[in-house]
Amino acid sequence: MIWTRTLLLGALAAASLGAVACEEEKPRLAPAATELKAPEAKAPAAATFAIDRASSKVELSMDAPREKIRGRIQGAAAGTLQVDPADVTRTTGLITVDLSTLELFQTAVGDDGKPDEEKKSDLQNEHARTWLEISKDTPDAVREKNEKAQFAIRSISTSGEKDLTKMAGAERTVTVTASGDFLLHQRQSPRTVELIATFRYEGDRLAGLTVKTAKPFAVGLAEHDVRPREAFGKLAQKTLEVLSPKVAKEAMVSLELSATAGPAAAAAAAAATAAPAEAPANGAR
């Protein structure tokens, strides 16, 4: 009787541990959303800057044990930044990146641990679009939403000088921490990014700025429901766990942008104001 009871308790304990393990392995999805709304300016004196799409650069890297993946999205970022020269911590903005021009390059790692030559695989790029649900077989309405990645800057902090007017020179650089919301694959999550901002002055007038990541920030694939798919709406049998030796579970993202003040910035701000309201950040897609 004691032996039987011991076996039963052992089986129950094993089942409980198995259930906990399955619960931990189940990916936690970020809340659903379709579009982020541009935050309002925090200061009446804030100047509007329009991001120059043509010169924008977005890069990503995914390092797995058996394969290194590098991605790039060039000339595909747009949006506006609202900057108060007297207090850069009052900066807000919305950056939108078109994922349709995403290019991936892969570097296989041999059994000896040495990397092979970097190559571009058309098949791998097709797979990436299927995972993101922006492939050719995706319905137009869905693809249009999924092709949009966004970062809404809602707050800024810095340990350095925050008043640009107290600095001298044609270029004035500050390192800031930007916090806000990140949207990918119709999933919204909070994000904090360290940025280096260089402000360009023409005399006493703030004319433009460049912004780049001080270090890449991580984006989890499972969190944004980016996972193996065989076709639109059809999940593949292989999971991220199975593919982990070749596909990393997160992408490290970096960006570099330039923005200019002027009529183009005002027009871009007006277009952003006329954009649809932000969707609720919860609920199923």
Side-chain angles (χ1 to χ4, degrees):
M1 176 67 72
I2 294 176
W3 182 74
T4 303
R5 184 178 298 172
T6 301
L7 282 179
L8 179 59
L9 290 174
L12 289 173
S16 299
L17 289 173
V20 171
C22 289
E23 187 67 24
E24 291 178 350
E25 291 175 2
K26 185 178 180 180
R28 181 177 296 178
L29 287 175
T34 56
E35 187 169 29
L36 300 182
K37 186 178 180 181
E40 295 182 358
K42 290 187 176 182
T48 300
F49 291 80
I51 294 172
D52 178 37
R53 183 183 181 108
S55 64
S56 66
K57 300 177 183 178
V58 179
E59 297 184 345
L60 62 89
S61 62
M62 300 174 63
D63 289 352
R66 299 301 302 271
E67 188 171 283
K68 313 298 182 184
I69 297 175
R70 180 177 66 88
R72 67 183 183 189
I73 310 170
Q74 294 183 315
T80 57
L81 301 172
Q82 309 288 337
V83 181
D84 180 2
D87 187 350
V88 294
T89 64
R90 290 180 148 190
T91 297
T92 58
L94 179 64
I95 302 168
T96 300
V97 178
D98 181 359
L99 301 178
S100 64
T101 60
L102 170 66
E103 289 183 292
L104 296 183
F105 303 85
Q106 66 184 77
T107 301
V109 178
D111 295 334
D112 57 359
K114 295 181 180 180
D116 293 336
E117 183 181 354
E118 183 181 72
K119 299 178 181 179
K120 180 181 178 180
S121 166
D122 291 338
L123 181 60
Q124 185 183 55
N125 277 268
E126 289 178 12
H127 286 168
R129 282 165 168 72
T130 302
W131 288 28
L132 287 164
E133 294 184 289
I134 59 174
S135 53
K136 294 179 180 179
D137 64 336
T138 303
D140 292 344
V142 178
R143 184 171 60 248
E144 182 178 351
K145 294 175 183 177
N146 288 336
E147 283 180 343
K148 184 183 300 181
Q150 294 182 303
F151 180 44
I153 301 174
R154 305 198 184 279
S155 65
I156 292 285
S157 63
T158 181
S159 58
E161 179 59 67
K162 62 181 182 179
D163 187 348
L164 298 176
T165 64
K166 293 181 179 181
M167 302 173 70
E171 292 189 350
R172 307 173 191 185
T173 301
V174 295
T175 299
V176 302
T177 300
S179 299
D181 297 311
F182 179 75
L183 177 75
L184 174 67
H185 197 229
Q186 298 188 60
R187 296 284 171 179
Q188 175 182 327
S189 60
R191 195 71 63 210
T192 298
V193 183
E194 188 174 346
L195 301 170
I196 299 173
T198 299
F199 299 87
R200 179 173 54 83
Y201 271 77
E202 295 178 355
D204 294 331
R205 185 178 72 89
L206 176 56
L209 62 95
T210 59
V211 178
K212 62 180 180 180
T213 45
K215 57 184 177 182
F217 61 93
V219 176
L221 301 190
E223 181 182 16
H224 290 272
D225 197 26
V226 178
R227 47 182 171 157
R229 289 178 167 85
E230 295 179 353
F232 172 72
K234 183 180 180 181
L235 293 175
Q237 291 184 352
K238 291 185 178 181
T239 64
L240 283 172
E241 291 291 337
V242 173
L243 294 174
S244 60
K246 295 189 66 177
V247 180
K249 296 179 183 179
E250 64 181 16
M252 302 303 296
V253 181
S254 59
L255 58 84
E256 184 172 350
L257 310 168
S258 62
T260 307
T273 303
E278 182 176 352
N282 52 26
R285 183 165 46 121

